[in-house]
Structure formats: structure tokens, C-alpha cells
């Protein structure tokens, strides 16, 4: 069986020829392009291996493309305001968007807006789900990182205000990036900030595990899958590698370039905007305001490929190409429904307030055009399949009974 193909998915702020480009990681071959708008920073997400979502820069809508569609028909998810960041749950059930200082949570199957969380005091800058979709994290320009339990948010009493599980307030300047490792509620989370620090946290306890101080502001952060190394992109174009397994219990450390010269990637001429690591941890992908995407060999720190775009790079990530991206005849199981912009009851003055939220009541009472019709069709198909299986089982049982009870000759 062939190894899964790794691809690089990139966007820039110019979007003259395309909005998003997909190229094969090791050969550099161009696989797909998507057209329509400019994707903003932290605004690119893969939904259930079927759709690519892009929050449009400065616009109040999210573009959605089927991963493999020749006519490149673009769908638009309208939002109440410009989307500052975007993510989807790994299980494909939810979409999260930061709009000003609020977090909007949609249910994918119905398009229902489930909840609006307003616990940040300035714009939300980044959002991430844990690998098991049980928690999500939000970072904002108010220097706060909040950890939310999805179950608690959805099941909270409407008369009460949902509270984050943890509030991390050790940063002193705006949060620029988040990276969540594996482990679900036991995962470790790296946060970067303009205060020139990267901090490593534990989701389960909320404790600060490590704080690294640099001599420049850090704009992007990521880890390899084994979490042996922390990669930090600076505002001067440098990328720093922090080894997490070599420090004997130090909680605070200063990264010294003169002593750690072998732990830096240098080649970008301007601010690093995004970072991503390959599955085996051997290759690092970086995007920058200098309009280039670079591929680095982690061991030698050498740049092995440079791709020049038409504008500052806003998103660049490595992912395993889903089947829907490689198969020309793939179609999503269900079309995207219409996403609601408002909670039920908001038109009657039930607006979200700072420090609180509004939860939509009567979740299953609202009819969503298109989405529920498709669900009913799918349910009917599954019921037919169940009936067929019951008939097959009954026939098998009758046949077995006749064989077993047949008199011996």
C-alpha cells in the first residue's frame, strides 16, 4: 500500500491568480488551485476531509470549496461581521469562527448557530480544537488564552454564563498563535505572543510547563507530532528550534542566539507568519511577509525549496491529502447547509453581552432549507438498508435452521 501523500496548502493576501494553492510536498507539483477572494491569517480550515473553508480578509463571509470539483464552484457562508480566525473540529461536526471579540460556534449538519461566547475583551486572533474535539482554545489581542470544554458550552443552563475551563493570563501582549498537541484533554498547548515569549501549557491541569524568552516578537508557533521540538517564527524572519527533551526541569529559559546558533533557520527577509511540520518531523514549512513559502530540512536547517507567491503569505500548512482531494470523482456525502447568522431569539433583543453568551433555544425546531431535506433522504436510505439486512439475516437463520434440523440419512 502506498504511503499517504503529504501536501502543502498555502494562501497569500494578493490572491491575483488563485485564493489557495495545493502542491505536493516533496516534488513541488501543483495539484489544485481554488479561486475566489483573499484568505486572512489563521483563516484556513479543512472540514471533514470534504470542504476547504477560508475566512475572507476583512469580509463578513467564509468561502467554501469542495476539495475536488472541476468547475471550482465557490459557496459563501455569511457571517455577522469580518472573520478574524477560523477552525473546524477534527470530527467534522463543528465550525468555530472569531468575529471581533466573540466566538461563534456552528453545527455543520444543520447550519445552526449554537452559541456565541463573548469572554474576550479585544479581537479573537486564533482558535484551535484539541485532537479529540472535546475542547477548544481561543487566543486574543487582550493577551488572554481561554480553554473551553465543548460539552460544558453546549449543555450549560441558559440562565447561566458559560465559563472557560482555564484562563491563561501570563502573556503581556497580544496572542499571535496557538498550537495544540495530541492527547485530547491531556494535550500540551504552545502559545506565542508579541511579548517575545512562547509558553507551553497543560490542558488537564492548566499549569504552565515552560516559558521561553526570545529577543524578537514571536508570530507563529508549532510542534512536531512527537513533541520533541518547538518551532517559533519571529518578526525578523528567523525561525527558532527549541528542544523540549533536553532541559532538566527548567520552567523558564532564555533562547540565546549566540549559544543556540545551530537551532535557527535563517532565510526569510521579513516576518514569519505561519509554520507547519511534516508527519515524520523531518521537514518544516514556513510562510512569510516576504511573499515566499520555504521548505526546510529540520536536521541540517537548510532550505530545500522556495515557492514565491504574489503577496504576503497568510496561511501555509502541511496535511495528509484526504481521498477527496486526490479522487477526481469524489463528492461530499452531504452538501453544506445554510449557516445561520443569528441565534434564535436574537431578533427579539436577546443579544450576547460582554462576559456572557446567548444560547439558541429550540435547536431541533428550526427548519434549515436544504440541510434537513438531505438528512431525511439519508435517514430513509439507512432505514432501507437496515430492512434489507434484517431480511438477509432472517433468510440465513431459516436456512441454517433447515440444515440443522434436517434428519440424518
Amino acid at each position: 500500500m502506498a504511503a499517504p501523500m503529504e501536501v502543502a496548502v498555502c494562501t497569500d493576501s494578493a490572491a491575483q491568480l488563485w485564493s489557495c494553492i495545493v502542491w505536493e510536498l516533496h516534488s513541488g507539483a501543483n495539484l489544485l488551485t481554488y479561486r475566489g477572494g483573499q484568505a486572512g491569517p489563521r483563516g484556513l480550515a479543512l472540514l471533514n476531509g470534504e470542504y476547504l473553508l477560508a475566512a475572507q480578509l476583512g469580509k463578513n463571509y467564509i468561502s467554501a470549496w469542495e476539495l475536488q470539483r472541476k468547475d471550482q464552484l465557490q459557496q459563501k457562508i455569511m457571517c455577522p461581521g469580518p472573520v478574524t480566525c477560523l477552525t473546524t473540529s477534527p470530527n467534522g461536526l463543528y465550525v468555530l469562527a472569531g468575529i471581533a471579540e466573540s466566538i461563534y460556534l456552528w453545527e455543520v449538519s444543520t447550519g445552526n448557530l449554537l452559541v456565541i461566547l463573548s469572554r474576550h475583551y479585544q479581537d479573537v486572533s486564533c482558535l484551535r480544537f484539541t485532537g479529540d474535539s472535546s475542547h477548544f482554545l481561543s487566543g486574543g489581542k487582550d493577551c488572554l488564552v481561554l480553554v473551553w470544554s465543548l460539552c460544558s458550552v453546549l449543555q450549560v443552563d441558559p440562565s447561566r454564563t458559560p465559563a472557560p475551563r482555564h484562563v491563561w493570563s501570563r502573556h503581556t501582549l497580544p496572542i499571535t498563535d496557538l498550537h495544540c498537541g495530541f492527547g485530547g484533554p491531556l494535550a500540551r498547548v504552545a502559545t506565542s505572543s508579541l511579548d517575545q515569549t512562547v509558553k507551553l501549557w497543560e490542558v488537564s491541569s492548566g499549569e504552565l510547563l515552560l516559558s521561553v524568552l526570545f529577543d524578537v516578537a514571536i508570530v507563529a508557533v508549532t510542534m512536531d507530532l512527537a513533541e520533541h521540538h518547538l518551532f517559533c517564527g519571529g518578526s525578523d524572519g528567523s525561525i527558532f528550534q527549541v528542544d523540549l527533551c533536553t532541559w532538566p526541569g527548567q520552567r523558564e529559559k532564555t533562547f540565546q542566539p549566540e549559544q543556540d546558533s545551530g537551532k535557527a533557520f535563517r532565510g526569510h527577509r521579513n516576518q514569519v507568519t505561519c509554520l507547519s511540520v511534516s508527519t515524520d518531523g523531518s521537514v518544516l514549512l514556513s510562510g512569510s511577509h516576504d511573499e515566499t513559502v520555504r521548505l526546510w530540512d529540520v536536521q541540517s536547517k537548510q532550505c530545500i525549496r522556495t515557492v514565491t507567491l504574489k503577496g504576503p503569505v497568510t496561511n501555509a500548512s502541511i496535511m495528509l491529502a484526504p481521498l477527496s482531494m486526490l479522487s477526481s470523482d469524489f463528492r461530499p456525502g452531504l452538501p453544506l447547509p445554510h449557516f445561520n447568522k443569528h441565534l434564535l431569539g436574537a431578533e427579539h433583543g436577546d443579544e450576547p453581552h460582554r462576559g456572557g453568551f446567548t444560547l439558541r433555544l429550540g435547536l431541533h425546531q428550526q427548519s434549515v432549507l436544504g440541510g434537513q431535506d438531505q438528512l431525511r433522504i439519508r435517514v430513509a436510505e439507512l432505514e432501507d438498508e437496515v430492512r434489507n439486512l434484517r431480511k438477509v439475516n432472517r433468510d440465513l437463520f431459516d436456512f441454517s435452521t433447515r440444515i440443522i434440523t434436517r434428519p440424518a440419512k
Side-chain angles (χ1 to χ4, degrees), residues 109-402:
S109 62
T110 63
N112 291 325
L113 179 58
L114 301 182
V115 66
I116 302 174
L117 301 167
S118 301
R119 286 295 298 266
H120 283 282
Y121 297 92
Q122 294 185 46
D123 287 356
V124 181
S125 56
C126 38
L127 292 165
R128 288 288 185 276
F129 267 97
T130 57
D132 65 346
S133 305
S134 65
H135 292 73
F136 61 89
L137 302 98
S138 60
K141 293 183 178 180
D142 55 3
C143 316
L144 297 178
V145 177
L146 307 182
V147 182
W148 303 88
S149 168
L150 181 62
C151 181
S152 298
V153 166
L154 295 179
Q155 296 185 0
V156 71
D157 185 343
S159 64
R160 297 172 54 195
T161 299
R165 180 175 177 180
H166 302 300
V167 178
W168 295 334
S169 57
R170 298 287 189 92
H171 286 290
T172 57
L173 286 176
I175 307 299
T176 55
D177 200 7
L178 295 170
H179 177 83
C180 185
F182 281 94
L186 302 177
R188 297 190 297 178
V189 174
T191 61
S192 64
S193 169
L194 296 179
D195 63 7
Q196 302 184 358
T197 67
V198 169
K199 300 184 187 297
L200 190 66
W201 311 82
E202 186 178 57
V203 172
S204 59
S205 65
E207 291 185 1
L208 176 64
L209 303 177
L210 178 67
S211 179
V212 186
L213 176 64
F214 299 86
D215 58 359
V216 296
I218 303 299
V219 184
V221 65
T222 191
M223 290 188 288
D224 58 345
L225 291 184
E227 300 184 13
H228 289 164
H229 307 294
L230 194 64
F231 300 94
C232 312
S235 58
D236 65 346
S238 300
I239 304 171
F240 309 105
Q241 177 182 317
V242 178
D243 296 332
L244 298 177
C245 300
T246 59
W247 297 349
Q250 291 178 273
R251 181 162 291 190
E252 296 186 3
K253 180 177 174 63
T254 300
F255 189 93
Q256 300 177 353
E258 61 277 3
Q259 296 181 6
D260 299 316
S261 58
K263 301 296 183 182
F265 304 77
R266 302 191 186 277
H268 284 298
R269 302 186 307 274
N270 210 324
Q271 173 178 299
V272 176
T273 56
C274 39
L275 293 170
S276 184
V277 186
S278 63
T279 304
D280 61 2
S282 65
V283 174
L284 175 69
L285 183 74
S286 63
S288 169
H289 275 175
D290 64 8
E291 303 182 2
T292 65
V293 176
R294 293 178 181 262
L295 203 61
W296 308 84
D297 178 72
V298 171
Q299 185 173 3
S300 66
K301 308 296 184 293
Q302 297 298 311
C303 179
I304 56 180
R305 180 173 293 109
T306 300
V307 178
T308 302
L309 305 185
K310 297 296 184 180
V313 180
T314 52
N315 298 277
S317 62
I318 297 174
M319 65 176 67
L320 291 176
L323 178 63
S324 51
M325 186 176 287
L326 305 176
S327 174
S328 60
D329 59 351
F330 180 86
R331 287 293 179 267
L334 290 175
L336 277 180
H338 168 73
F339 276 51
N340 299 322
K341 291 197 298 182
H342 303 288
L343 298 160
L344 187 63
E347 63 271 18
H348 301 296
D350 191 14
E351 294 290 343
H353 54 85
R354 181 172 302 283
F357 81 116
T358 305
L359 182 65
R360 192 184 65 76
L361 301 176
L363 177 62
H364 300 289
Q365 296 176 0
Q366 184 175 7
S367 174
V368 181
L369 295 178
Q372 288 194 354
D373 292 338
Q374 293 292 334
L375 287 175
R376 280 194 290 269
I377 293 173
R378 182 59 177 155
V379 169
E381 292 175 350
L382 292 174
E383 288 176 346
D384 290 340
E385 186 173 350
V386 169
R387 282 193 291 269
N388 291 334
L389 287 174
R390 286 176 177 170
K391 182 180 182 301
V392 170
N393 286 335
R394 185 168 58 252
D395 293 342
L396 285 173
F397 177 79
D398 293 341
F399 176 76
S400 301
T401 302
R402 288 196 301 270

Side-chain angles (χ1 to χ4, degrees), residues 83-102:
V83 179
T84 57
C85 52
L86 175 72
T87 192
T88 60
S89 62
N91 60 16
L93 299 180
Y94 302 99
V95 171
L96 271 179
I99 300 177
E101 70 276 4
S102 298

